[in-house]
Amino acid sequence: MSWKTETVPGTDGLVCSIDRLASEAGTAVLRAGGNAVDAAIATSAALAVTAPHMCGLGGDLFALVGGPGTGSAEPLVLNSSGRAGSGADPDRMRAEGHRTMPLVADVRSAPVPGCVDGWVTLHGRLGRLPLADVLAPAVELAEAGFPTSPLLAAALPRLAGVTGCDELVRSGVAEGDLLLRPGPARMLRAVAAEGRDGFYGGEFGERLLEVGAGEYLPEDLARSQAEWVDGLALDVWGHRVWTVPPNSQGYLGLAGAGIAERLGLPADPDDGAWAHATVEAARLAGFDRPQRLFDGADGAALIAAGRLDERAAMFDPERPARLGDRYRAGGTIYLCATDADGMGVSLIQSNAKGFGCHVAVPGTGVLLHNRGLGFSLEDGHPAEYRPGRRPPHTLAPALVTRPDGSLRAVLGTMGGDSQTQVLLQMLARLLVAGQDPGTLLSAPRWVLAVDEGTGFNVWERPDTHRVRIEEHAPASWRAGLEQRGHEVETAGRDLVGFGHAHLIELPLDGPARGAADPRALVGACSAG
């Protein structure tokens, strides 16, 4: 099957997300006088209600904000990913026989959630409307109910046996059924009334300490997880592309684009050589990620010109690069929003894998993420699971500016390790092929895969990659890749494996234009 989405113009602002109801929540806030930040928070909060299989108040958040109204010549970058609690003990994990962090059923894979701190911090610096007004659409969805989306209905059976999820796992929830979320509604009202203290210092915080059983201490919750950081940027294809620095893996998207620029991409993305070059650019950028990405890693060094030159020199136009001797052995939503003044927000919010670690905070309706799966249990590893550390993160939102500093686009995707691979393809289609948002997001994609993949272990064995391509990819992709020695798999109907990406572009000669990913089925780009 092929995907098709239309480019939507929007003079008074646009909001793109995986859920029409959430996009409409954002545009309602725009029409009420809010700015792009207000709209992004409103959309994010609505998704925490309608898409608990992908994000929620128990997850993390990153954001970039650019354009007029920021008070800054450069984009503002917020890292609101949570830190491991004071009880984090890697020796105990190893003594229990763990070699990697547990994926589910273990609260130790849940750092302190950063999502709510992200909302409050973004709003406190850049919001225009009262926070209660911004969160009101999400509260209404939670209290009045909303029709269960196809992807949520398909995912809900995975919560069978998980305690504390009664509002989600009542029998007979099917696509289109009305679903109410009283727990998140109560949590959102507490945030609206008291800010972060209403959440981390209120019912949620009290119950989190209980379910953590020593993993967290009150001082862990008293410390904000949100932090303004310097953006990481690379000049590529006549523009500057921005992302969040480590602990985000965003540097891989920049490095992949820098390598691809050095290789020289064919003008036509349907060319098999284009597929080979972009696949190899991603592989050459990311093969040593397990050793290089950790909280505090030097992002600028990871995208330095000399390093990218060396990676590009490893490219072979006729076969995949051999990487084995060069290294040692989702549930996420992306959204973007703009307003009539030209401010743009690129925001990503995540549980990590599906419903997170399958641990609910009792009585709140909030499931905890499992972003701690990014930690290492190798003794002495720079990303070792330790108190106060942030885990390596797959979340990688992006923002593009022109040479004069004006905002060109906000873009990103969900997709675990594949996020930066999809981002590379989006950047190449936007900045090299000149495609409009609808064409770009309807186009076929490739992602790297490994056997027994979790979506978060692609870089553990970089010489065993398969290239998965969507079934509507041109025949030249498969032929060109196989001729060059890649193992290629044509995927069937896959609603999540190739990302849910969105993009809003701000042309110099016309209104903003955007599109939402059709793979989300109920996604929408909504005009303010």
Side-chain angles (χ1 to χ4, degrees), residues 278-303:
T278 53
V279 165
E280 286 298 282
R283 294 181 68 238
L284 291 167
F287 67 85
D288 59 351
R289 177 192 184 277
Q291 287 74 47
R292 302 299 181 189
L293 180 60
F294 53 89
D295 192 12
D298 186 346
L302 293 171
I303 59 169

Side-chain angles (χ1 to χ4, degrees), residues 305-326:
R307 191 171 192 266
L308 300 187
D309 290 342
E310 292 175 1
R311 301 295 171 104
M314 296 163 60
F315 174 71
D316 188 325
E318 300 303 326
R319 59 186 57 84
R322 296 297 299 171
L323 304 173
D325 60 349
R326 300 177 185 271

Side-chain angles (χ1 to χ4, degrees), residues 323-469:
L323 304 173
D325 60 349
R326 300 177 185 271
Y327 82 107
R328 302 184 337 208
T332 298
I333 64 91
Y334 172 78
L335 67 92
C336 47
T338 59
D339 59 28
D341 297 325
M343 177 190 284
V345 179
S346 181
L347 186 151
I348 195 161
Q349 175 188 345
S350 177
N351 286 341
K353 183 70 173 177
F355 289 102
C357 67
H358 289 203
V359 176
V361 178
T364 68
V366 176
L367 286 150
L368 296 173
H369 63 156
N370 53 1
R371 275 290 156 192
L373 59 82
F375 282 124
S376 171
L377 288 180
E378 178 185 337
D379 191 10
H381 192 286
E384 186 180 12
Y385 168 62
R386 290 282 181 185
R389 284 184 177 173
R390 286 172 161 146
H393 244 282
T394 57
L395 302 187
L399 181 152
V400 180
T401 56
R402 299 180 179 87
D404 64 1
S406 63
L407 181 61
R408 168 75 187 272
V410 285
L411 68 161
T413 183
M414 57 77 88
D417 284 340
S418 67
Q419 284 185 35
T420 52
Q421 301 162 36
V422 173
L423 181 64
L424 166 59
Q425 296 166 73
M426 294 172 70
L427 289 169
R429 288 182 179 278
L430 175 71
L431 302 179
V432 181
Q435 293 181 346
D436 65 89
T439 301
L440 184 158
L441 292 173
S442 301
R445 297 174 189 155
W446 57 260
V447 297
L448 300 175
V450 293
D451 291 337
E452 300 178 359
T454 66
F456 298 89
N457 62 347
V458 164
W459 301 113
E460 291 178 4
R461 304 184 303 278
D463 268 338
T464 65
H465 286 152
R466 295 190 316 280
V467 184
R468 298 185 75 230
I469 60 175

Side-chain angles (χ1 to χ4, degrees), residues 189-277:
R189 285 193 177 279
V191 175
E194 303 176 55
R196 80 172 309 274
D197 289 344
F199 186 70
Y200 298 97
E203 179 186 354
F204 174 84
E206 293 172 5
R207 299 293 178 84
L208 180 61
L209 292 175
E210 293 173 8
V211 78
E215 180 71 6
Y216 321 103
L217 296 179
E219 50 264 39
D220 297 328
L221 276 58
R223 177 186 184 183
S224 176
Q225 307 303 306
E227 179 182 7
W228 295 104
V229 297
D230 292 333
L232 187 64
L234 183 71
D235 292 329
V236 61
W237 292 316
H239 293 75
R240 179 163 289 184
V241 182
W242 298 81
T243 191
V244 182
N247 58 314
S248 164
Q249 70 165 355
Y251 80 93
L252 293 181
L254 305 190
I259 293 168
E261 182 180 42
R262 286 161 169 78
L263 303 183
L265 294 181
D268 182 5
D270 285 351
D271 191 327
W274 187 95
H276 174 64

